Amino acid sequence: MSYTLINPATEEAMETIEALDVEAVDAAVEKARGAQVAWAGLNPADRAMLLRRFADAVDGDREHLAELEVRNSGHPIGNARWEAEHVRNVLEYYAATPERLFGKQIPVAGGLDVTFQEPLGVVGVITPWNFPMTIASWGFAPALAAGNAVVLKPAEWTPLTSLRLAELGLEAGLPEGLFQVLTGKGSVVGNRFVTNPTVRKVVFTGSTEVGKQIMAGCADQVKRVTLELGGKSANIVFADADVAKAATTAPSSVFDNSGQDCCARSRILVQRSVFDEFMQHFETAVTSLNVGDPTQSTTDMGPLVSRAHHDAVSAYVDADTPVAFRGTAPEGPGFWFAPTVVTPESRTDRCMTEEIFGPVVAVVPFEDEADAVSLANATEFGLSGSIWTRDVARAIRVARGVESGNLSVNSHSSVRYNTPFGGFKQSGLGRELGPDAHLAFTETKNVFIPTTEQD
Ligand code: NAP
Ligand code: MG
């Protein structure tokens, strides 16, 4: 079985990709298991060196990886270059792990007590189509660094950069079978990661709906699971903020990657007294966004990823939708969708509650600080968010009050490889990136050795 990829900016047919069956997945997992045992037995310095070589191989291939993402996913080339560099950085950061995978020595009576961080074995990583290569690296880099093997299932629509990364790993000298990319359907390949008992952990990034199924499936084998799911993040603008700056930076916080971003600040909450001022600046910023050919470095926003996703996003904007203004988008082939700003009357409008995952943002007024925090928290999600105010104490109070894993004051920070990332509530379970991510790919083992006669 195979299927054909479509370039989202031109609708041209591209590479044909193999859709693996369950038997092929099982064979790959067996191979991974063999490679993992040898990998975990290597000198830690050698594992570190191989990961640094992998980072170097990615570094040398950055432009190629970026071009693949432009063709396969429609990401603007400037964004795609950042993504390829980010993968290199993630690998380099976790290359330090094998030589620093410390345990503890714990004072106890009658002997020596030490802990070890043991690898889990084979880890299955399942990724979505919105940031194919970066999200893959958040799973495979710390997992490999902690002594595991990885089987990676990329989203059906966007496998090209993942396939290339597996080649680069082999070229860098990673053992055969240690890091394999298995293409195909989520319901077949991804689901087999859940049911095959040799896969000891599943790292899933994708929709909350599928994430719940994965978690339920993993329960059967008490399989470890990390979930990075949906979001409906708030960008909160107080009257005492630099309102012009908040408004001119807001487009990138929600329309970056055409809004196909789990961290998109897709609800903008503006204090009522500065609402009109905010909207004026925001309109200028949105209408001047450069939406078009993703191969050009001047492009801010490319197309949506597929026809099916274009249809899903379009369903949120119909004749009854209170559209305040829209940006531009090209005509002709390609899954184009103009940036769209809506001002719903009701706080329970579906544009305020559902993750649209496209370039549609809802802007609503709030009254005071308590109202802002309660509105920001009026969602099942809790992934990201921004707070704009010149009052430091308020910034801290609101940052502590918003139920979300990643907040940014007077800025819209994107993900950093050296800080923890993940969601509150139904946005996820566990954390990726940052100084501790590799620990999520280990079990803590405690060993006691008596130094005196035991009773
Ligand atoms: P999705 O439909 O949930 O798919 C994600 C991945 O899971 C794909 O590889 C998919 O394969 C696979 N899959 C589907 N059904 C499966 C099953 N029954 N068992 C195992 N695997 C299965 O999500 P998406 O539409 O690709 O991505 C968009 C979603 O991802 C959004 O909700 C977004 O918020 C979320 N996201 C979250 C984060 C985060 O870090 N929190 C980051 C990025 C995206 P197929 O391609 O074959 O369907
Ligand atoms: Mg899907």
Side-chain angles (χ1 to χ4, degrees):
M1 285 258 293
S2 64
Y3 62 97
T4 303
L5 302 177
I6 304 290
N7 181 325
T10 62
E11 300 187 45
E12 281 160 3
M14 308 194 297
E15 285 83 342
T16 297
I17 303 293
E18 202 181 351
L20 299 179
D21 60 16
V22 167
E23 288 69 34
V25 176
D26 285 349
V29 168
E30 254 337 280
K31 199 168 152 192
R33 178 64 187 147
Q36 187 270 325
V37 173
W39 175 245
L42 277 185
N43 173 348
D46 289 339
R47 276 189 275 138
M49 177 197 65
L50 286 168
L51 289 171
R52 283 195 297 270
R53 285 195 186 153
F54 190 3
D56 289 346
V58 171
D59 194 59
D61 204 58
R62 273 185 296 155
E63 193 61 22
H64 177 224
L65 283 165
E67 282 165 12
L68 284 177
E69 209 66 275
V70 172
R71 279 203 307 126
N72 193 173
S73 309
H75 292 194
I77 183 72
N79 295 32
R81 286 185 179 125
W82 183 92
E83 291 159 27
E85 190 180 331
H86 179 83
V87 174
R88 190 272 312 273
N89 292 342
V90 171
L91 274 166
E92 214 166 60
Y93 184 70
Y94 290 107
T97 295
E99 295 178 284
R100 292 171 176 79
L101 199 52
F102 304 121
K104 288 183 174 136
Q105 178 269 312
I106 299 171
V108 295
L112 173 69
D113 194 282
V114 287
T115 65
F116 295 88
Q117 296 306 133
E118 304 285 13
L120 301 174
V122 179
V123 172
V125 177
I126 303 173
T127 56
W129 46 258
N130 62 327
F131 288 112
M133 66 175 139
T134 54
I135 292 174
S137 73
W138 304 353
F140 71 70
L144 293 173
N148 302 281
V150 172
V151 284
L152 165 65
K153 194 216 98 65
E156 262 177 283
W157 292 336
T158 57
L160 293 184
T161 47
S162 296
L163 288 165
R164 180 62 187 146
L165 286 170
E167 286 174 5
L168 291 168
L170 279 179
E171 283 171 20
L174 287 189
E176 188 87 32
L178 187 72
F179 172 40
Q180 300 174 66
V181 172
L182 309 181
T183 51
K185 282 192 170 306
S187 55
V188 179
V189 179
N191 186 55
R192 190 60 187 146
F193 292 0
V194 175
T195 57
N196 182 320
T198 304
V199 177
R200 294 291 174 80
K201 172 162 188 162
V202 174
V203 177
F204 172 82
T205 306
S207 60
T208 297
E209 183 192 354
V210 177
K212 287 177 184 175
Q213 289 171 31
I214 303 252
M215 191 175 178
C218 284
D220 195 44
Q221 296 168 12
V222 196
K223 190 170 291 196
R224 278 62 181 144
V225 64
T226 294
L227 302 172
E228 296 286 2
L229 309 175
K232 190 72 192 174
S233 297
N235 177 8
I236 310 172
V237 183
F238 286 95
D240 66 9
D242 181 340
V243 175
K245 189 168 175 202
T248 50
T249 58
S252 70
S253 80
V254 58
F255 298 140
D256 200 54
N257 208 34
S258 307
Q260 303 166 125
D261 183 344
C262 51
C263 290
R265 277 72 163 171
S266 54
R267 294 182 297 152
I268 306 182
L269 319 181
V270 184
Q271 198 152 15
R272 194 180 291 281
S273 59
V274 293
F275 190 87
D276 292 342
E277 181 190 349
F278 178 90
M279 289 301 267
Q280 271 171 22
H281 291 293
F282 191 39
E283 180 163 8
T284 308
V286 171
T287 50
S288 59
L289 278 178
N290 189 357
V291 182
D293 182 358
T295 65
Q296 300 300 310
S297 56
T298 49
T299 295
D300 297 315
M301 195 180 115
L304 292 170
V305 71
S306 67
R307 170 65 59 203
H309 189 56
H310 185 276
D311 291 347
V313 173
S314 302
Y316 283 92
V317 183
D318 59 25
D320 300 330
T321 309
V323 173
F325 48 84
R326 302 189 79 172
T328 61
E331 305 277 326
F335 310 126
W336 303 102
F337 198 94
T340 302
V341 178
V342 303
T343 47
E345 283 293 316
S346 159
R347 291 179 171 195
T348 55
D349 186 286
R350 66 190 188 127
C351 287
M352 285 290 286
T353 58
E354 293 178 25
E355 182 185 44
I356 301 172
F357 223 58
V360 180
V361 66
V363 194
V364 296
F366 68 84
E367 307 307 331
D368 55 18
E369 188 178 313
D371 188 35
V373 172
S374 108
L375 182 53
N377 289 339
T379 166
E380 70 208 23
F381 297 116
L383 191 55
S384 171
S386 301
I387 299 151
W388 291 80
T389 174
R390 287 191 171 100
D391 179 339
V392 176
R394 164 176 281 160
I396 295 167
R397 278 196 307 272
V398 175
R400 295 298 303 272
V402 174
E403 298 162 340
S404 171
N406 311 272
L407 291 159
S408 192
V409 174
N410 295 329
S411 57
H412 304 290
S413 62
S414 58
V415 169
R416 295 186 179 85
Y417 62 84
N418 40 16
T419 60
F421 176 77
F424 277 35
K425 302 194 282 189
Q426 293 192 33
S427 282
L429 184 73
R431 291 291 178 274
E432 298 190 293
L433 298 174
D436 302 325
H438 54 278
L439 295 177
F441 297 99
T442 65
E443 293 284 6
T444 301
K445 180 183 284 172
N446 191 71
V447 177
F448 173 73
I449 307 155
T451 53
T452 58
E453 203 61 42
Q454 299 292 297
D455 296 332

